[in-house]
Amino acid sequence: MKVLFAVSECVPFVKSGGLADVAGALPKELALLGIETAVMMPKYSLIAEDFRRRMVKKAECEVRVGWRRQFCGIEHLEYDGVSYYFLDHEYYFNRDSLYGHYDDGERFAFFSRAVLEALYALNFETDVIHTHDWHAGMVNYLLKEEYRKKPFYQCMKSVFTIHNLQFQGVFPKEAVHDLLGLDISHFTTEKLEFYGDINYMKGGIIAADRVTTVSPTYRDEILTPYYGERLEGVLSDKKDVLTGILNGIDDVLYDPLNDPHIDYHYDAVNRDGKRKNKAVIQKTFGLPVNEDIPLISMVTRLTKQKGIDLIKRVLHELFEEEDMQLIVLGTGEAEFENYFRYMEHAFPERCKAYIGFHEPLSRKIYAASDLFLMPSKFEPCGLGQLIALRYGAVPVVRETGGLHDTVTAYQEATGEGNGFTFAHFNAHDMKHTVKRALSFYHRKEEWGSIVQKAMTHDVSWALSARQYQGLYSREIKGEAPCSRVKKALNNAF
Ligand code: ADP
Ligand code: GLC
């Protein structure tokens, strides 16, 4: 079976969040299951020179963007057993950031059509095209509405994964014709129209054979108006083919026993290294170096999604009432960045913030902290808490989406649970939960067993990769026999 991922970011090449972690880890796991997996993504100038130098040009193609024709180079790199194809267009992808440009609608219309053209140029007869988030949603749509009419694409099935329903890729109506090269019949409620504009994520959802999202709880949540971001109706229509499959993390990349970014290595049994890492980070950030003061951390986008409003409401109370330290590594909305800069000055002995995106520093922080705070308003899956579990930073989370599916509340009576949780999006509920977690910190033995439980929680991709494998197989099995599909099925079973 062959599967092609179309995605806008991927570790180790470029990353702005969890999407890149998933795109970097899942194909490797699928390859281990015998699925031939390739990834297609833009060749951003932000990709490190070392990788760019190693890419080899394989083919080129012409891509229609409305009435214009754009050239697209297709470059290849084999990395960790997976084939990566980089779609090269200087003007669209030579930018200083991944997203947020005036012409994102055009850039990702180009990308989506380029994926389909590149398959043909490479003669890459994939069984499944698996696309991710709005950036690639139009791949599914163009496949269904246009490309499947050609024999080369006829048998290809498509899967669309929603990583975050909040970002949908909404553009003016004119994009239908001017960017996507489609006629106005596509501008209807049943198709791309969305409150007077067009919506790339909606296109992905309606056109895909299967729609998945990244946790079972988020799957149910997005069918409701509170979490559905005005797409709950569209999603309800696809309810029968909508599933939630929990993300994992790459447990080779994120491994406290081998992580090259951390100073002292450790595992669940011997956590001496973790203690030393804490002292190093306290010193680095200019905090009092003291093992007995619990260190809480956050590594996050600083946005409303991540519950920063709750922190703003009660952090000063926590600092006044508790002997604790907080280190924040994050970037995002100016209001929140400035808030943490202010708190650093107000509580210099307790609060430190590094405003920016810094992968090596994030590892040092996960490895050093006792607790990891993630009070999200909504969280499709969340990888922060999974990395925290792996590094023994006990998560304190709100019970939503993937946080609900991965963190279980510690029960004093039974000793069960790998973290601390609260249900309502309420600042004082969060404060109370943090205080409860802190109250266990000084009971050394009990705390040790909580940390151990966190570290031994299975955060790997093993189970979920099998669920994706099952989904792909079921999808291509349901297809009317076509020689390629038959062949793929023989290989799959
Ligand atoms: P989201 O994708 O919504 O931002 P996730 O929890 O799924 O949230 O994934 C976030 C990923 O990005 C994690 O790997 C986390 O460690 C990383 N990350 C977030 N902010 C930063 C930062 N400022 N510096 C380094 N890594 C970060
Ligand atoms: C999105 C979500 C996050 C999820 C990640 C990877 O960025 O916000 O919850 O973990 O995608 O699926």
Side-chain angles (χ1 to χ4, degrees), residues 82-95:
V82 176
S83 257
Y84 293 89
Y85 292 98
F86 296 88
L87 303 183
D88 186 18
H89 189 287
E90 216 19 53
Y91 176 72
Y92 290 136
F93 302 129
N94 186 355
R95 307 276 171 105

Side-chain angles (χ1 to χ4, degrees), residues 423-434:
H424 299 293
F425 191 69
N426 174 296
H428 283 90
D429 286 3
M430 179 192 80
K431 179 183 158 193
H432 173 78
T433 309
V434 171

Side-chain angles (χ1 to χ4, degrees), residues 18-19 22 163-164 214 247 301 305-306 379-383:
L19 171 62
V22 174
H163 293 263
N164 192 334
V214 288
N247 287 336
R301 286 187 286 119
Q305 173 191 342
K306 302 296 178 179
E379 198 59 73
C381 179
L383 298 183

Side-chain angles (χ1 to χ4, degrees), residues 236-256:
S236 294
D237 291 343
K238 296 285 280 198
K239 212 171 161 183
D240 296 344
V241 291
L242 173 66
T243 41
I245 302 179
L246 204 56
N247 287 336
I249 55 170
D250 183 331
D251 50 10
V252 175
L253 201 66
Y254 292 111
D255 179 3

Side-chain angles (χ1 to χ4, degrees), residues 18-19 22 132-133 161-165 201 213-214 218 247 380-381:
L19 171 62
V22 174
H132 301 264
D133 270 356
T161 295
I162 300 166
H163 293 263
N164 192 334
L165 201 59
M201 180 165 263
T213 187
V214 288
Y218 191 61
N247 287 336
C381 179

Side-chain angles (χ1 to χ4, degrees), residues 26-286:
L26 180 55
K28 279 200 279 182
E29 285 292 325
L30 294 171
L32 291 178
L33 297 176
I35 300 175
E36 201 182 316
T37 318
V39 179
M40 258 184 208
M41 62 181 286
K43 186 185 173 194
Y44 298 106
S45 54
L46 288 169
I47 297 173
E49 189 50 40
D50 179 43
F51 287 126
R52 294 166 62 84
R53 252 201 319 270
R54 282 150 55 194
M55 295 174 189
V56 176
K57 184 159 177 190
K58 282 282 173 192
E60 55 190 50
C61 57
E62 243 185 23
V63 180
R64 274 195 299 124
V65 179
W67 51 267
R68 290 155 297 165
R69 285 180 184 281
Q70 301 280 8
F71 166 83
C72 176
I74 307 162
E75 300 191 7
H76 179 255
L77 179 69
E78 191 78 19
Y79 185 84
D80 256 2
V82 176
S83 257
Y84 293 89
Y85 292 98
F86 296 88
L87 303 183
D88 186 18
H89 189 287
E90 216 19 53
Y91 176 72
Y92 290 136
F93 302 129
N94 186 355
R95 307 276 171 105
D96 58 5
S97 60
L98 299 185
Y99 320 116
H101 300 282
Y102 75 96
D103 57 349
D104 279 357
E106 178 171 339
R107 296 168 73 223
F108 290 100
F110 167 83
F111 174 64
S112 296
R113 203 177 267 282
V115 166
L116 293 160
E117 293 293 341
L119 286 175
Y120 186 72
L122 294 165
N123 195 22
F124 190 106
E125 290 188 281
T126 188
D127 301 294
V128 178
I129 305 182
H130 185 165
T131 68
H132 301 264
D133 270 356
W134 72 265
H135 327 96
M138 282 298 124
V139 176
N140 309 69
Y141 192 81
L142 292 170
L143 175 69
K144 176 159 186 245
E145 297 286 333
E146 188 179 320
Y147 283 77
R148 266 200 200 130
K149 295 183 182 122
K150 306 176 192 180
F152 180 77
Y153 302 91
Q154 217 174 13
C155 302
M156 293 181 191
K157 305 303 260 177
S158 89
V159 176
F160 179 68
T161 295
I162 300 166
H163 293 263
N164 192 334
L165 201 59
Q166 188 177 43
F167 306 107
Q168 300 181 0
V170 175
F171 303 104
K173 171 185 177 181
E174 289 69 34
V176 170
H177 182 258
D178 294 353
L179 304 181
L180 297 164
L182 299 169
D183 66 55
I184 202 67
S185 70
H186 294 271
F187 190 69
T188 61
T189 324
E190 295 72 40
K191 296 199 166 175
L192 295 176
E193 194 272 339
F194 180 74
Y195 296 93
D197 287 316
I198 70 158
N199 183 321
Y200 286 11
M201 180 165 263
K202 179 182 174 190
I205 294 168
I206 59 174
D209 299 299
R210 295 269 170 172
V211 182
T212 72
T213 187
V214 288
S215 69
T217 295
Y218 191 61
R219 184 260 177 214
D220 293 341
E221 287 174 343
I222 56 179
L223 294 170
T224 68
Y226 185 81
Y227 293 96
E229 306 281 352
R230 303 203 289 180
L231 282 175
E232 62 276 10
V234 173
L235 287 161
S236 294
D237 291 343
K238 296 285 280 198
K239 212 171 161 183
D240 296 344
V241 291
L242 173 66
T243 41
I245 302 179
L246 204 56
N247 287 336
I249 55 170
D250 183 331
D251 50 10
V252 175
L253 201 66
Y254 292 111
D255 179 3
L257 205 50
N258 288 301
D259 190 329
H261 300 301
I262 67 177
D263 295 294
Y264 297 97
H265 292 134
Y266 60 98
D267 61 17
V269 179
N270 184 352
R271 297 191 303 276
D272 204 39
K274 184 163 180 67
R275 210 170 42 78
K276 293 183 182 157
N277 288 322
K278 176 171 168 180
V280 170
I281 211 94
Q282 285 175 321
K283 187 153 182 266
T284 313
F285 274 90

